[in-house]
Amino acid sequence: MKAEKRKLRKEISEKLKDKTLRGALGRFAEVYPEARAAAYANAGDVETLREAVKQMKIATVGQIEAVADRFEAAATKRGVQVFRAEDGESAKAYLLKLCKETGVERIVKSKSMASEEIHLNPYLEAAGITVTETDLGEWIVALAHERPSHMVIPAIHMNRHQVAEHFSKELKKEIPPDIAVMVQVARKELREKFLQADMGISGANFLIAENGAVGLVTNEGNARMVTTLPRIQVAIVGYEKLIPTIKDAATILKVLPRNATCQLMTSYTTMVSGPTPAMVKRDGKWVEEQKEMHVILLDNGRLRAAKDERFREIFQCVRCASCLNVCPVYTLIGGHVYGHIYAGGIGAILTAFLHGMEEFAQFHELCIGCRRCTTICPGKIDIPGLIEELRVRKVKDKGLPFLLKQTFENVIANRKLFHSLLRLAARGQKPFQEGKLIRHLPLFFAGLAKDRSLPAIAEEPLRDRVAKVKRKIANPDKRVAFFGGCTMDFVFPETGESVFKVLQDLNIEVLYPEGQSCCGKPVLAMGDEETMKRIARENIKALEEANPDAIVSACPTCTESLQHYRELLKDDPEWGPKAAAMAKKVREFCSLVAEEYEKHGRLKKKAGGLRVTYHDSCHMKRVLGIDKEPRQLLEAAGCELVEMKDADKCCGMSGIFGVKYAELSMPILSQKIANIEETGAEIAACACSGCMVQIQGGLDKKLPGVKMKHVADILAEKIGEKKIA
Amino acid sequence: MHTFTETWQRSFPTATSGSHLFAEFEERARAAAAEVFRCATLTEAREALLRLVEGAGVTKAVVVESPLQLAAGVTEALRARGVEVYTAPAEIAEHAPTADIGISGVEFGVAETGSVFQEGYAIATRLVTILPPLHVVFLPSANIVPDVPQAFEIIAKNFDRGYLGFITGPSRTGDIERVLTIGVHGPGRFAIIACDEAPQGGTR
């Protein structure tokens, strides 16, 4: 399928200007996490529940064809006709034929994402069949000739006035923008459709192989109408909804309503196995007749994913859409920008499989890899990890854009050239520089420095300062190699100096291997695995030569990259073992220092210092799992720690994203700055140089009274004070 | 072929379930906007229904009888009050769309979620539960299981085919501005009349 070339930037900027959308999504993002947590209050251990879903789904996808066979046999035995549709076309052809054979003229539908995926409604309507969506949100977007912008709340992007307009137009009378009134109007209108329909089409939240049952989890009651009233019942369902046993449904029902709508259970949770009776009017008399029931199992790319070692993970999705609700980007711009039907990070992945890579390629950058979704996904899907893998495959398949490829291969992978360019930049930026920041940029670059000052490239990088800060230690407890990373080396060399001071104060000898370069993350983030491998080999060589006891990085992303070399080079007979040996030595700065402080009895809370709030970097907390140690260190340095709201929500930087999509990055940053301001802290601390770039820039423009500091800087200052005293 | 109603009680987890869970069940059901009336006797249960009917100004009812309703004499009491009552499937099909109330029985409640479980293979059951604006169910108050997995212990042993479901409060939507609104397609009011006294001295 040839993807239509989209103007993504224009679409994004329109969504950002849509006040209704921004307001609705903003309020939702605000209340969702707490409402979800409250729904889980009586559910037992959430992690155990998520793990149960994951394991059940993994076991199922491993034998998906067999489970589908069992479902088909069980359903057929009970009188259901099961059709396995390879793609949308065959599903639609089957349905149309069925409609013609059985004289169906009117169809009512309850929510089925699979039917939207294959564009069923326009197809049937073109054949002269009347199709009515009966889920209120779906009906609204259908009247507006739009697409759903959220999988569970389709019309979340509209307000009551817009809905009233669409209702008034459809019903050709004035409908007031009163929600209760509009819901009653919908009830009345759609009630007639239910009673007149010949066929009801639903989706399913699960399909039980054991007894061929279709499971439906709904609130409005429309799915009960759709499966009860018309004489023919059809369910269109993707293979990922199959579960082996009846009891497995309980595993899903423990998490699905809680994650999707923050309910303990939805109003109607229904399971239908085999055709049931319906009342049909024959010659003016009501008679009971057995229904005709069909299940269309839709493949459309799913079985290919099931065979893929990595992407079979998408079968763990229960379509709760909670990944959207916590996504910093989705909650700014909504679902329409993501392409076809499925929005957000999971939508990007599904789109790649169901609609092709070209479609995916247009909007995959909207996943900023903050990993917030991975903490709540009921099926524990590594959404950002899968997107990264898709990027790698895309690049393997199609290559990178020429300029980017040139930059990666010839500049970033060539340390000497890359570093000389950075040094050159330090001189080139002079006209715009004010102190250590760039506050204004000319012409079309202006947007980049509009709500955020950019850090200047330091005049003297860390690597040139090593001789000054490095102390010779006679009997060191440890020898560590310090991996600075580009940002610390060239933008925050003072923080690099702090790292030296803190470690040396612990009787640790610090080496700074000259041959180290960029960790490679920006390259991998664009899917260029080959260049990443080259960079990895260079860094391993440089760090290995120093033969340290540990390798320390004060940036979580660099730490993660260095550890990732093991996976990256695992098939390389020469470099694989070296990468594995090195990965064991890699330590994140805060966790290492906290460990050492603990050993020396220094990890004790002290009072009397500054009010500090701590920002959890996405990768620090959710990849490395480090969130207590930096806080303990701050308190050990005498700081009064004040927690900000959403301390672990992304600052909006996320590497290249923060620059390329500055218009999206800035609102995320603004929220972070507002949360910092609310704490009344004098210092915002973090332990990631990428976040420092972003937050420092935002503070400089909007909250200049608050300073951004790395935990290492605060610790180093404390040591300085101690020395002076 | 269709045996759920005949067999499910044999699987009822008596060790973990019972009326000691009723308070939790009631709290959760109310949180889901269900109305709950707990009654000590069959007579009280009948009276509770009559009060509901009076309050709602009911003139037409569609009813599917459960043992509890039969024992409490609900249908006769309604007719005695002058309410039109329909109980045959063809009558229910004709009148459910315009009835003021649907009345049916449910098998058990779930304390964790405040849901009631109903076997609904018969078309009449499904029509009375979904079409009228008010739905009232009769529940033996001892039939409360602690949680969803326990409910599925029962279901897994007895669900060969049919139409089963949990009902948790009235029909609802949040599709316009996420404002919770009751009574979209299904009933806007959902009431549970739970009775301690069992018909003919048994637990249903």
Side-chain angles (χ1 to χ4, degrees):
Chain A
M1 198 188 304
K2 179 83 184 137
E4 194 184 324
K5 180 84 181 135
R6 294 170 48 196
K7 295 194 171 80
L8 189 66
R9 307 308 288 259
K10 193 163 163 276
E11 287 177 42
I12 290 172
S13 99
E14 276 164 15
K15 296 296 174 194
L16 285 170
K17 277 184 230 142
D18 183 341
K19 286 206 179 79
T20 304
L21 173 81
R22 291 285 298 276
L25 291 174
R27 285 189 296 276
F28 186 37
E30 181 92 16
V31 298
Y32 174 77
E34 275 173 40
R36 172 183 174 271
Y40 274 102
N42 74 335
D45 179 49
V46 185
E47 288 314 302
T48 310
L49 297 173
R50 295 172 68 208
E51 190 60 29
V53 173
K54 178 180 170 180
Q55 293 309 330
M56 185 264 286
K57 291 282 208 162
I58 286 176
T60 308
V61 71
Q63 37 152 349
I64 191 68
E65 302 268 12
V67 177
D69 287 345
R70 284 211 295 282
F71 172 82
E72 183 173 345
T76 308
K77 188 182 136 197
R78 288 165 179 81
V80 178
Q81 298 178 54
V82 179
F83 177 68
R84 300 214 197 178
E86 200 180 317
D87 53 20
E89 292 315 308
S90 58
K92 287 187 281 195
Y94 176 85
L95 250 180
L96 185 58
K97 186 162 166 273
L98 176 63
C99 289
K100 285 192 172 150
E101 283 170 1
T102 52
V104 167
E105 288 169 5
R106 282 174 291 242
I107 297 177
V108 280
K109 280 180 74 200
S110 61
K111 202 168 168 60
S112 157
M113 300 294 294
S115 76
E116 286 172 40
E117 175 188 321
I118 62 175
H119 307 294
L120 178 66
N121 296 8
Y123 176 87
L124 292 175
E125 279 159 359
I129 298 166
T130 308
V131 186
T132 308
E133 290 290 348
T134 63
D135 174 272
L136 179 59
E138 295 284 346
W139 192 52
I140 294 168
V141 294
L143 293 183
H145 305 290
E146 288 186 13
R147 288 181 291 122
S149 69
H150 188 281
M151 289 186 267
V152 175
I153 320 164
I156 192 171
H157 58 286
M158 288 188 214
N159 64 21
R160 63 190 78 188
H161 301 280
Q162 292 163 320
V163 174
E165 266 175 48
H166 294 300
F167 277 22
S168 304
K169 206 169 139 201
E170 170 72 14
L171 306 174
K172 299 184 180 67
K173 59 180 175 189
E174 189 67 19
I175 306 290
D178 176 309
I179 294 175
V181 170
M182 287 192 284
V183 167
Q184 286 315 304
V185 166
R187 177 186 173 98
K188 197 163 159 278
E189 281 299 312
L190 293 169
R191 179 58 71 91
E192 288 309 308
K193 310 270 184 196
F194 284 123
L195 293 170
Q196 291 162 2
D198 316 295
M199 177 188 276
I201 299 180
S202 73
N205 295 90
F206 49 86
L207 289 180
I208 305 173
E210 186 180 344
N211 70 341
V214 174
L216 293 155
V217 179
T218 70
N219 270 314
E220 296 181 358
N222 59 326
R224 261 178 101 89
M225 301 271 198
V226 160
T227 53
T228 290
L229 296 169
R231 62 187 159 89
I232 301 170
Q233 181 188 348
V234 180
I236 305 179
V237 194
Y239 274 81
E240 73 280 8
K241 300 287 177 60
L242 283 162
I243 57 174
T245 69
I246 296 169
K247 280 190 195 173
D248 292 328
T251 308
I252 291 181
L253 290 174
K254 272 283 193 180
V255 298
L256 176 57
R258 287 184 165 94
N259 252 56
T261 48
C262 308
Q263 289 173 288
L264 309 187
M265 189 82 115
T266 59
S267 297
Y268 303 101
T269 298
T270 301
M271 292 173 283
V272 193
S273 167
T276 52
M279 299 302 293
V280 183
K281 220 168 195 173
R282 301 264 179 236
D283 307 322
K285 271 194 190 153
W286 286 104
V287 288
E288 191 172 316
E289 274 180 14
Q290 204 67 0
K291 281 187 179 223
E292 192 175 323
M293 182 172 174
H294 298 254
V295 173
I296 298 177
L297 261 180
L298 181 66
D299 174 359
N300 208 25
R302 289 168 172 83
L303 293 178
R304 188 164 57 91
K307 289 192 188 80
D308 188 303
E309 207 184 312
R310 278 300 302 275
F311 286 95
R312 57 174 48 179
E313 215 173 315
I314 63 174
F315 277 68
Q316 288 155 232
C317 177
V318 298
R319 301 285 191 275
C320 69
S322 58
C323 51
L324 313 182
N325 307 348
V326 299
C327 174
V329 177
Y330 174 87
T331 51
L332 275 181
I333 55 174
H336 287 154
V337 174
Y338 289 86
H340 278 107
I341 300 301
Y342 302 103
I346 190 70
I349 300 164
L350 294 173
T351 299
F353 270 86
L354 309 175
H355 299 288
M357 285 300 267
E358 283 184 41
E359 200 58 51
F360 166 81
Q362 304 202 49
F363 62 87
H364 68 94
E365 287 169 335
L366 298 182
C367 171
I368 56 177
C370 78
R371 306 192 61 78
R372 216 168 166 228
C373 53
T374 64
T375 64
I376 61 150
C377 171
K380 297 179 86 169
I381 304 176
D382 179 8
I383 294 169
L386 292 180
I387 290 179
E388 202 155 271
E389 173 67 19
L390 277 171
R391 287 173 187 154
V392 169
R393 293 191 187 181
K394 178 171 78 72
V395 170
K396 270 186 189 151
D397 195 33
K398 296 261 152 82
L400 279 174
F402 182 73
L403 193 65
L404 209 55
K405 185 173 147 80
Q406 294 295 312
T407 314
F408 286 170
E409 288 181 359
N410 302 331
V411 181
I412 300 188
N414 179 342
R415 182 187 68 79
K416 283 186 183 146
L417 176 61
F418 180 41
H419 287 174
S420 357
L421 283 174
L422 285 171
R423 286 169 197 274
L424 205 61
R427 291 208 289 278
Q429 72 197 0
K430 279 270 156 51
F432 312 107
Q433 196 173 339
E434 294 168 45
K436 286 179 180 168
L437 292 168
I438 294 172
R439 296 206 166 100
H440 307 282
L441 282 171
L443 297 170
F444 58 92
F445 291 118
L448 298 181
K450 186 171 158 274
D451 296 312
R452 159 189 64 185
S453 304
L454 294 170
I457 307 279
E459 216 157 299
E460 195 185 16
L462 178 61
R463 53 186 60 237
D464 295 356
R465 303 180 187 211
V466 170
K468 254 191 309 191
V469 288
K470 187 171 156 53
R471 274 203 290 125
K472 185 81 193 133
I473 293 173
N475 286 308
D477 288 358
K478 261 193 189 80
R479 291 174 73 249
V480 306
F482 176 21
F483 184 85
C486 317
T487 317
M488 203 158 285
D489 201 340
F490 288 88
V491 178
F492 299 116
E494 286 85 1
T495 300
E497 290 185 32
S498 298
V499 170
F500 269 92
K501 277 182 207 152
V502 173
L503 292 174
Q504 289 173 164
D505 181 56
L506 285 160
N507 205 39
I508 293 172
E509 185 180 347
V510 185
L511 313 161
Y512 199 84
E514 265 286 310
Q516 63 175 283
S517 185
C518 170
C519 70
K521 178 70 187 182
V523 173
L524 187 67
M526 296 303 290
D528 189 355
E529 204 173 69
E530 284 314 306
T531 306
M532 174 81 170
K533 283 180 185 167
R534 268 173 66 193
I535 294 171
R537 288 192 292 265
E538 269 201 45
N539 279 328
I540 294 170
K541 185 161 166 280
L543 294 164
E544 199 182 42
E545 275 169 8
N547 191 29
D549 299 317
I551 296 161
V552 177
S553 164
C555 167
T557 307
C558 296
T559 310
E560 182 194 356
S561 296
L562 296 177
Q563 287 171 346
H564 178 66
Y565 291 171
R566 173 171 34 190
E567 175 64 24
L568 185 74
L569 296 168
K570 69 174 188 296
D571 298 326
D572 185 324
E574 189 194 344
W575 292 91
K578 289 182 185 175
M582 191 192 87
K584 284 190 201 137
K585 290 187 183 179
V586 174
R587 292 297 306 270
E588 187 282 324
F589 172 82
C590 289
S591 76
L592 176 76
V593 173
E595 197 177 291
E596 294 292 320
Y597 270 37
E598 178 75 43
K599 253 189 245 168
H600 294 91
R602 288 169 64 177
L603 200 63
K604 290 192 190 102
K605 196 168 171 171
K606 289 199 197 78
L610 296 168
R611 260 172 98 81
V612 175
T613 188
Y614 176 76
H615 162 72
D616 287 285
S617 304
C618 299
H619 288 239
M620 185 83 163
K621 180 166 177 184
R622 287 185 284 271
V623 177
L624 304 179
I626 301 168
D627 60 345
K628 287 184 196 72
E629 295 89 336
R631 289 178 167 83
Q632 288 169 334
L633 289 172
L634 289 170
E635 292 192 317
C639 300
E640 186 200 333
L641 190 64
V642 251
E643 292 291 341
M644 70 175 98
K645 185 172 190 302
D646 290 336
D648 66 352
K649 191 170 171 184
C650 185
C651 66
M653 186 63 202
S654 183
I656 292 170
F657 172 87
V659 179
K660 185 166 177 189
Y661 292 95
E663 70 274 38
L664 286 173
S665 173
M666 286 308 109
I668 302 175
L669 174 61
S670 299
Q671 189 57 57
K672 181 59 69 178
I673 300 299
N675 291 345
I676 292 172
E677 186 169 19
E678 219 165 80
T679 63
E682 294 151 278
I683 291 173
C686 77
C688 165
S689 37
C691 301
M692 278 171 77
V693 169
Q694 175 87 339
I695 298 174
Q696 172 187 282
L699 289 173
D700 183 63
K701 288 268 178 173
K702 292 201 173 135
L703 199 59
V706 179
K707 294 285 162 250
M708 177 83 233
K709 284 184 181 172
H710 193 287
V711 174
D713 294 322
I714 295 172
L715 295 176
E717 281 165 25
K718 195 72 198 164
I719 295 162
E721 283 170 27
K722 194 175 70 186
K723 295 277 154 65
I724 293 158
Chain B
M1 69 151 195
H2 168 65
T3 56
F4 193 97
T5 40
E6 292 147 29
T7 59
W8 77 271
Q9 289 189 69
R10 276 182 248 147
S11 322
F12 191 74
T14 39
T16 55
S17 308
S19 51
H20 66 284
L21 296 170
F22 193 86
E24 187 189 345
F25 165 77
E26 180 173 354
E27 186 195 327
R28 305 263 179 240
R30 285 184 192 279
E35 297 164 48
V36 183
F37 304 92
R38 185 170 182 180
C39 307
T41 64
L42 292 163
T43 313
E44 276 182 37
R46 184 176 63 238
E47 295 300 319
L49 178 78
L50 293 176
R51 273 195 302 277
L52 264 172
V53 161
E54 199 138 310
V58 167
T59 60
K60 193 200 266 193
V62 282
V63 179
V64 172
E65 302 272 24
S66 67
L68 206 50
Q69 286 157 259
L70 288 168
V74 170
T75 307
E76 301 83 65
L78 284 176
R79 288 202 172 111
R81 288 279 176 116
V83 176
E84 273 178 65
V85 182
Y86 298 99
T87 54
E91 290 174 345
I92 289 174
E94 181 66 25
H95 294 286
T98 49
D100 306 305
I101 189 172
I103 306 170
S104 64
V106 292
E107 275 71 30
F108 58 85
V110 184
E112 178 196 344
T113 58
S115 313
V116 295
F117 175 88
Q118 186 178 56
E119 193 288 320
Y121 178 78
I123 177 68
T125 304
R126 281 175 282 132
L127 294 176
V128 307
T129 61
I130 199 73
L131 289 172
L134 166 60
H135 179 209
V136 180
V137 297
F138 281 80
L139 165 74
S141 55
N143 290 3
I144 309 292
V145 299
D147 53 25
V148 172
Q150 288 279 310
F152 271 84
E153 289 291 330
I154 302 174
I155 296 168
K157 290 193 191 93
N158 300 282
F159 183 24
D160 180 60
R161 66 195 307 166
Y163 195 110
L164 311 180
F166 296 92
I167 302 172
T168 315
S171 155
R172 69 187 61 218
T173 186
D175 273 353
I176 306 176
E177 293 188 15
R178 290 191 310 105
V179 174
L180 176 66
T181 314
I182 297 292
V184 203
H185 298 304
R189 278 182 76 188
F190 178 67
I192 301 164
I193 296 179
C195 186
D196 296 351
E197 185 186 348
Q200 302 126 20
T203 55
R204 256 197 81 144

